[in-house]
């Protein structure tokens, strides 16, 4: 008898190594992904046939723009993107608004204290973000892995990723907390240089120390959020982070100003309010993943073991992202120290503009999260064409939003700066810098989304190299040149940021267009 190729295509190997038909495998997958009791975000990809091996790209194949799959409309794809990215956008905006509220509320403290408090929160944010973003970066691997297994319909593997992620995050955050408590003030003094007052340094050190005590529950929440996003669930992170933000703002008012019998804690009050909010998010997120109602869940009765293959894949994808964030924060710290030398008023203006720019990042970051999830799920299903189609459609939507935000910042930036601080000098200079920020919006946005797609494919090493070049070398180097040698003041700092963003966007998009992201090996061991 001859070998029936069509029969082999219609077969698959199950987890026990037994040959079964694809119809049987589909039924098994359906038990994972079509359970009516399970709360899942279902997208167009779920209703499409899995990719066939002969359609997979081969090393050496020239990358070409993927054609729209037959029978799939643009509206369906845009709906998928909005379904995943919109809750993430609201979550990020609310989180950033809370950060803005922190700065606005401490900036409204009376007299010189307000300016010092603004600078203090900005100074303490740098080492805090260094530790936080390194933990978040490691969770990029969790998101990509869960998305891959969600595309395959493999709930068991996705849950195991969550368990490995939680374990690793606890160990990592405990280490970072210890380092932060031991060396936090030294780092802040390094960032402050000689241009920042001693009072500002003390405020910043106190803020940072309180933040460190909340590092472990915060990192576990990051882990839960990363895995939920991997299977497309962005509504629940929106809910529990919204609750955290509400708690944060309420306790900001009570603790910063000492209202209704609460202590008058000033900057320390803002920090404590943030930690209280983060712990509320942790409690709610824990209840979500323990409920077993979603594609990923945490079963405390199940015996824990370290899955070396899964953990290796998570780290292989996440570690370059962590190195990327290390380069990013190192570059930003050098940059911050250079700008801090301009004095309290200039640095306060800079911090306001950076905070507003961070808000503008939220659109790109939300669509980037969607891009990561959709690319990961597409590749898990073997649909390399859908991965590219989703990235391009996400960039289209992101660009529209970026242009709208740019218009707002260009015409109304001065009013936003005024909310932070009414000092005429701060408002005048800040409004002009925000026009500069507006011009960068479309470029930043496309960079974020494209890089999100690369992360979903497990391609994280190139981005780390790009950050090393653009932030650590270009931005920091040009800032030192423009400020210390050419005397351009705060404008020199923002010219350096502009050069960094433009070069970064060019490099990321050019790398995506090579198509190398289609051949990442990080998933190999875990998919055996």
């Amino acid at each position: 008898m001859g070998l029936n190729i069509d029969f082999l295509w219609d077969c698959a190997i199950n987890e026990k190594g037994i040959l079964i038909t694809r119809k049987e495998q589909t039924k098994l997958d359906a038990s994972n992904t079509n359970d009516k009791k399970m709360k899942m975000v279902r997208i167009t990809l779920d209703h499409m046939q899995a990719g066939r091996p002969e359609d997979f790209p081969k090393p050496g194949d020239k990358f070409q723009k993927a054609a729209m799959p037959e029978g799939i409309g643009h509206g369906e794809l845009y709906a998928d993107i909005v379904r995943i990215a919109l809750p993430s956008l609201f979550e990020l905006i609310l989180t950033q608004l809370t950060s803005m509220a922190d700065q606005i509320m401490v900036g409204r403290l009376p007299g010189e204290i307000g300016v010092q408090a603004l600078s203090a929160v900005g100074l303490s944010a740098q080492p805090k973000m260094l530790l936080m973003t390194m933990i978040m970066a490691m969770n990029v691997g969790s998101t990509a892995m869960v998305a891959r297994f969600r595309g395959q319909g493999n709930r068991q593997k996705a849950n195991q990723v969550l368990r490995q992620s939680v374990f690793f995050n606890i160990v990592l955050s405990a280490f970072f907390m210890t380092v932060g408590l031991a060396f936090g003030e030294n780092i802040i003094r390094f960032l402050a240089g000689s241009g920042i007052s001693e009072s500002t340094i003390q405020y910043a050190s106190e803020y940072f120390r309180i933040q460190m005590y909340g590092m472990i529950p915060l990192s576990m929440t990051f882990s839960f959020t990363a895995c939920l996003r991997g299977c497309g669930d962005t509504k629940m992170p929106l809910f529990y982070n919204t609750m955290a933000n509400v708690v944060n703002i309420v306790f900001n008012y009570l603790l910063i100003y000492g209202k209704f019998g609460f202590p008058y804690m000033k900057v320390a009050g803002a920090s404590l309010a943030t930690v209280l909010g983060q712990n509320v998010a942790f409690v709610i997120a824990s209840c979500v993943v323990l409920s077993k109602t979603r594609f990923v869940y945490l079963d405390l009765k199940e015996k824990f073991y370290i899955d070396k293959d899964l953990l290796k894949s998570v780290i292989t994808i996440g570690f370059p992202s962590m190195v990327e964030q290390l380069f990013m924060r190192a570059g930003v710290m050098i940059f911050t120290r250079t700008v801090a030398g301009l004095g309290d008023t200039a640095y306060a203006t800079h911090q306001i503009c950076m905070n507003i720019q961070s808000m503008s990042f939220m659109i790109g970051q939300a669509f980037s999260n969607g891009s990561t999830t959709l690319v990961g799920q597409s590749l898990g299903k073997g649909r390399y064409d859908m991965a590219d189609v989703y990235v391009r459609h996400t960039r289209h939507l992101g660009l529209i939003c970026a242009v709208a935000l740019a218009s707002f910042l260009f015409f109304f930036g001065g009013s936003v700066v005024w909310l932070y601080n009414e000092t005429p000098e701060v408002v005048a200079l800040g409004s002009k810098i925000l026009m500069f920020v507006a011009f960068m919006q479309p470029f930043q946005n496309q960079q974020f989304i494209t890089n999100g797609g690369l992360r979903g494919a497990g391609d994280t090493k190139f981005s780390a190299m790009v950050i090393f070049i653009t932030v650590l070398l270009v931005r920091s180097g040009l800032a030192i040149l423009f400020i210390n040698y050419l005397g351009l003041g705060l404008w020199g700092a923002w010219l350096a940021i502009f050069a960094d963003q433009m070069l970064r966007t060019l490099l990321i998009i050019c790398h995506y267009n090579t198509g190398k992201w289609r051949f990442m090996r990080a998933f190999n061991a875990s998919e055996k």
Side-chain angles (χ1 to χ4, degrees):
M1 293 179 65
L3 184 64
N4 189 331
I5 299 298
D6 291 334
F7 170 76
L8 287 179
W9 164 247
D10 287 331
C11 293
I13 304 294
N14 70 6
E15 292 182 358
K16 297 181 180 179
I18 301 173
L19 190 70
I20 60 174
T21 67
R22 287 197 175 272
K23 287 183 179 179
E24 292 172 326
Q25 182 64 48
T26 300
K27 289 180 181 178
L28 290 175
D29 292 344
S31 67
N32 284 332
T33 57
N34 294 330
D35 185 346
K36 292 181 180 179
K37 295 180 181 179
M38 192 188 304
K39 298 176 182 178
M40 286 180 58
V41 176
R42 291 177 171 83
I43 57 176
T44 304
L45 184 71
D46 293 327
H47 308 296
M48 299 177 69
Q49 183 180 6
R52 296 173 60 124
E54 58 264 34
D55 297 326
F56 294 177
K58 308 294 188 297
D61 287 354
K62 185 178 179 182
F63 176 70
Q64 294 180 334
K65 185 171 75 171
M68 281 285 291
E70 230 177 280
I72 302 297
H74 296 285
E76 296 172 78
L77 300 180
Y78 287 133
D80 290 343
I81 295 163
V82 170
R83 194 175 297 120
I84 292 175
L86 194 60
S88 185
L89 175 60
F90 287 151
E91 174 200 343
L92 291 165
I93 287 176
L94 288 172
T95 300
Q96 191 60 32
L97 281 173
T98 304
S99 176
M100 290 175 69
D102 277 357
Q103 299 216 14
I104 290 171
M105 293 173 86
V106 298
R108 292 283 173 170
L109 285 165
E112 186 67 19
I113 295 176
V115 174
Q116 291 175 347
L118 267 175
S119 295
V121 173
L123 278 173
S124 59
Q126 296 308 320
K128 172 192 169 184
M129 286 301 293
L130 170 63
L131 301 181
M132 281 179 53
T133 54
M134 287 175 71
I135 294 172
M136 292 170 67
M138 285 304 301
N139 286 314
V140 168
S142 302
T143 300
M145 292 296 297
V146 169
R148 180 70 64 116
F149 292 128
R150 166 67 177 83
Q152 295 174 357
N154 194 333
R155 192 182 187 191
Q156 182 181 359
K157 281 281 192 181
N159 290 334
Q160 193 57 26
V161 171
L162 172 60
R163 294 172 71 81
Q164 305 303 307
S165 176
V166 169
F167 164 74
F168 189 72
N169 271 23
I170 291 174
V171 173
L172 193 64
S173 60
F175 171 74
F176 284 162
M177 180 183 72
T178 304
V179 172
L181 289 172
F183 302 106
E185 184 171 344
N186 294 332
I187 295 171
I188 287 170
R189 286 189 179 279
F190 167 78
L191 290 173
S194 59
I196 300 297
S197 66
E198 181 63 24
S199 296
T200 300
I201 292 172
Q202 290 304 317
Y203 282 141
S205 299
E206 191 175 17
Y207 186 99
F208 181 74
R209 186 166 52 253
I210 294 171
Q211 290 295 300
M212 288 302 96
Y213 289 115
M215 184 61 71
I216 292 178
L218 177 62
S219 72
M220 292 179 69
T221 307
F222 287 160
S223 184
F224 299 152
T225 300
C227 292
L228 289 170
R229 282 177 179 161
C231 53
D233 187 350
T234 51
K235 288 184 180 179
M236 188 48 63
L238 167 63
F239 172 71
Y240 57 69
N241 282 311
T242 298
M243 293 300 100
N245 292 335
V246 170
V247 170
N248 189 349
I249 291 175
V250 169
F251 278 93
N252 266 349
Y253 179 72
L254 297 175
L255 296 173
I256 293 174
Y257 307 121
K259 299 293 184 179
F260 300 106
F262 282 84
Y264 176 46
M265 297 178 68
K266 296 178 281 191
V267 175
S271 186
L272 181 56
T274 299
V275 172
L276 290 173
Q278 290 168 352
N279 278 276
V280 167
F282 167 67
V283 171
I284 299 174
S286 297
C287 292
V288 171
V289 297
L290 290 171
S291 68
K292 301 183 182 180
T293 58
R294 284 167 168 76
F295 189 78
V296 288
Y297 65 88
L298 197 61
D299 189 348
L300 296 181
K301 295 180 181 179
E302 185 180 340
K303 184 178 178 181
F304 175 78
Y305 66 94
I306 296 177
D307 187 321
K308 293 181 180 178
D309 288 337
L310 274 180
L311 194 56
K312 180 181 177 181
S313 292
V314 169
I315 294 174
T316 299
I317 298 169
F319 184 73
S321 289
M322 190 174 78
V323 173
E324 171 190 331
Q325 288 303 318
L326 181 61
F327 289 153
M328 170 75 80
R329 290 301 138 192
V332 169
M333 283 184 177
I334 296 170
F335 177 78
T336 298
R337 190 174 191 273
T338 305
V339 178
L342 296 172
D344 276 338
T345 301
Y347 185 74
T349 305
H350 173 71
Q351 185 56 36
I352 289 170
C353 293
M354 287 295 289
N355 195 256
I356 295 169
Q357 188 195 34
S358 295
M359 172 64 79
S360 76
F361 285 165
M362 297 304 102
I363 293 176
Q365 188 60 56
F367 283 113
S368 175
N369 291 339
S371 183
T372 298
T373 298
L374 292 166
V375 168
Q377 291 189 18
S378 297
L379 297 182
K381 199 160 188 174
R383 294 303 301 251
Y384 291 76
D385 57 336
M386 286 298 293
D388 180 47
V389 167
Y390 271 129
V391 169
R392 286 190 283 108
H393 281 72
T394 306
R395 284 185 0 194
H396 294 163
L397 279 179
L399 184 60
I400 293 170
C401 295
V403 170
L405 179 60
S407 301
F408 175 79
L409 290 177
F410 188 87
F411 292 107
F412 303 105
S415 300
V416 180
V417 174
W418 179 85
L419 290 174
Y420 285 83
N421 194 278
E422 298 177 7
T423 305
E425 183 183 353
V426 171
V427 175
L429 181 56
S431 62
K432 292 177 181 177
I433 288 175
L434 286 186
M435 292 181 181
F436 209 54
V437 172
F439 180 76
M440 291 189 286
Q441 289 309 299
F443 302 98
Q444 287 176 178
N445 181 278
Q446 298 300 285
Q447 169 212 133
F448 273 50
I449 294 170
T450 305
N451 206 27
L454 293 174
R455 289 191 177 110
D459 187 350
T460 52
K461 291 182 181 179
F462 183 81
S463 182
M465 182 184 70
V466 169
I467 293 298
F468 173 77
I469 294 171
T470 59
V471 179
L472 192 57
L473 300 183
V474 173
R475 182 194 291 196
S476 301
L478 289 180
I480 292 171
L481 173 65
F482 292 156
I483 294 173
N484 294 345
Y485 294 96
L486 299 183
L488 297 181
L490 195 54
W491 277 109
W494 284 89
L495 283 171
I497 291 175
F498 176 79
D500 156 29
Q501 289 291 344
M502 295 301 104
L503 180 58
R504 203 188 315 175
T505 300
L506 176 65
L507 292 174
I508 289 295
I509 291 179
C510 286
H511 178 68
Y512 177 85
N513 289 338
T514 66
K516 292 180 180 178
W517 53 271
R518 299 172 297 170
F519 308 110
M520 293 296 104
R521 298 180 180 178
F523 299 97
N524 289 358
S526 62
E527 292 181 332
K528 288 178 181 177

